Amino acid sequence: QVQLVESGGGLVQAGGSLRLSCAASGRIFRINTMGWYRQAPGKQRELVATITITGGGGTNYADSVKGRFTISRENAKNTVYLQMNSLKPEDTAVYYCNAEVQLFGAFHTNDYWGQGTQVTVSS
């Protein structure tokens, strides 16, 4: 019903930058929020950043990425980006895109997840 396609992961040295993209498609009536989460080996999945798609585009960041990561949106393309600067080895994880979506004909929203993209930061 909804597909989230991520791209932009890879291997980078500490201090480097990467930009992740996530495009949503399907029977989408409205997207309320989109965001990025990450999961490192042996750890729980954690929030990285979110942005509202309807409304003013308010953002929310994990403390660990504030000042280094920036989330942005392109509403016309149902796409969200995560610009990651000053990357650290502890940023290494699989990054997952998330979207809170209301489908055509539905009265409620559901959460959808992408397949994940690996980000590896070498020291």
Side-chain angles (χ1 to χ4, degrees):
Q1 293 170 322
V2 174
Q3 295 78 42
L4 300 180
V5 178
E6 301 139 333
S7 61
L11 173 65
V12 65
Q13 288 188 330
S17 298
L18 284 174
R19 188 190 193 212
L20 306 183
S21 300
C22 174
S25 62
R27 295 179 60 250
I28 298 170
F29 173 67
R30 180 174 60 212
I31 301 177
N32 287 345
T33 63
M34 293 184 75
W36 292 94
Y37 292 72
R38 67 187 181 186
Q39 187 167 17
K43 295 188 177 181
Q44 290 187 331
R45 190 173 298 188
E46 63 176 4
L47 178 146
V48 176
T50 62
I51 187 168
T52 59
I53 302 300
T54 56
T59 58
N60 180 46
Y61 294 94
D63 288 342
S64 60
V65 307
K66 284 180 181 177
R68 300 188 298 123
F69 291 10
T70 302
I71 189 169
S72 60
R73 61 182 183 170
E74 193 169 356
N75 286 8
K77 295 184 178 180
N78 285 339
T79 297
V80 64
Y81 306 96
L82 185 68
Q83 179 66 43
M84 305 185 293
N85 298 329
S86 302
L87 282 161
K88 304 175 181 180
E90 51 264 43
D91 294 318
T92 296
V94 178
Y95 284 69
Y96 295 92
C97 179
N98 170 269
E100 182 187 0
V101 177
Q102 182 178 0
L103 301 177
F104 279 104
F107 295 99
H108 55 83
T109 61
N110 284 310
D111 273 340
Y112 294 90
W113 294 89
Q115 78 284 357
T117 185
Q118 178 70 47
V119 171
T120 302
V121 184
S122 63
S123 57

